[in-house]
Amino acid sequence: KTPILMQLADHEYLISLDTFMSLRNAGTPVEMFIYPGEYHLMWQPAHRRAAYLRNIDWFDFWLRGRENVEPEDPAQYGRWRAMRVAASGVHG
């Protein structure tokens, strides 16, 4: 039930789809991002920046209960809140 953020190179994501779908079907909060033209170690500055910022927001949200007031992806918290509610089993 531990929330998992998957940030993958487009050369690697296909081998991770089974894991992603298994986690999602089990109700684990999981999100996947795919970076085009990347390899295991991201080399493109824009992708590295996006991944680093998303990591910080993800850990702040799930471990510290904090939300960035100016996130790079304004929709992320809606998705993550929905994941948290679904994982808790409490609806309403």
Side-chain angles (χ1 to χ4, degrees), residues 57-77:
D57 286 350
W58 180 267
F59 287 120
D60 277 347
F61 179 82
W62 291 101
L63 299 177
R64 301 174 78 192
R66 295 183 181 173
E67 295 185 16
N68 183 348
V69 295
E70 294 183 16
E72 294 288 312
D73 176 5
Q76 70 189 14
Y77 292 116

Side-chain angles (χ1 to χ4, degrees), residues 6 30 50 67 87:
M6 302 172 78
V30 61
E67 295 185 16

